[in-house]
Amino acid sequence: MRVKPRDRFSSMVALSPAMVSAFAESVGDTNPVHHDPEFAASTRYKRPIASGTHTSALLLALTASHFSKGGAMVGLEFWLKFRRPVYADEQIVLEWLVVKVTPNHKLKGDVVELRGRIKGQDGHTALGAKGRVLVTNHL
């Protein structure tokens, strides 16, 4: 797979309260703001929200699914900034932009620097991200 600066890739995900609750439960997150609509209504959010673990996993998984179409990918590092909640009933857009591609002969591939985000259905950024991945033909 040939990766170039300014390449973009994205995906849309429609969350549901059942999906958000199931994910939180599967990773041991018992915070009631992810599971209990009555509790969530009493919080600053007013309704259930997805866990940061869930939203960041969706965004990072997009890198793996995108780059593994034409080879293999290994995550090297990611940074995340949570800007606003993602609601359990929200449709979100996951987006990545390739910022820089550096061949790395020792790792037998390209180190790809990325900037990403999750946009809520209001168009505002809910999560900002940066990352570096290795795109290679050989794991």
Side-chain angles (χ1 to χ4, degrees), residues 9 58-68 73 78 96 114 133:
F9 53 100
L58 290 170
L59 189 61
L60 273 57
L62 178 58
T63 64
S65 62
H66 174 76
F67 290 118
S68 64
M73 188 224 78
F78 289 95
W96 284 106
L114 302 161
V133 299

Side-chain angles (χ1 to χ4, degrees), residues 125-139:
T125 299
L127 185 155
K130 292 180 185 180
R132 289 186 339 125
V133 299
L134 172 67
V135 178
T136 181
N137 291 325
H138 309 286
L139 288 181

Side-chain angles (χ1 to χ4, degrees), residues 10-89:
S10 63
S11 178
M12 191 175 294
V13 176
L15 297 174
S16 71
M19 178 191 305
V20 165
S21 180
F23 183 92
E25 186 175 310
S26 76
V27 297
D29 186 342
T30 60
N31 186 337
V33 77
H34 308 310
H35 304 280
D36 183 347
E38 211 172 287
F39 174 83
S42 71
T43 70
R44 69 179 73 196
Y45 309 115
K46 304 298 180 206
R47 62 189 209 253
I49 61 170
S51 70
T53 306
H54 191 173
T55 56
S56 56
L58 290 170
L59 189 61
L60 273 57
L62 178 58
T63 64
S65 62
H66 174 76
F67 290 118
S68 64
K69 289 176 188 171
M73 188 224 78
V74 176
L76 299 175
E77 55 191 358
F78 289 95
W79 302 270
L80 305 169
K81 182 174 183 176
F82 299 98
R83 296 179 177 209
R84 75 153 184 84
V86 172
Y87 294 98
D89 58 355

Side-chain angles (χ1 to χ4, degrees), residues 99-115:
V99 176
K100 185 177 178 183
V101 179
T102 306
N104 187 305
H105 299 291
K106 181 179 175 184
L107 296 176
K108 298 180 181 156
D110 292 329
V111 174
V112 178
E113 293 182 32
L114 302 161
R115 285 213 180 109

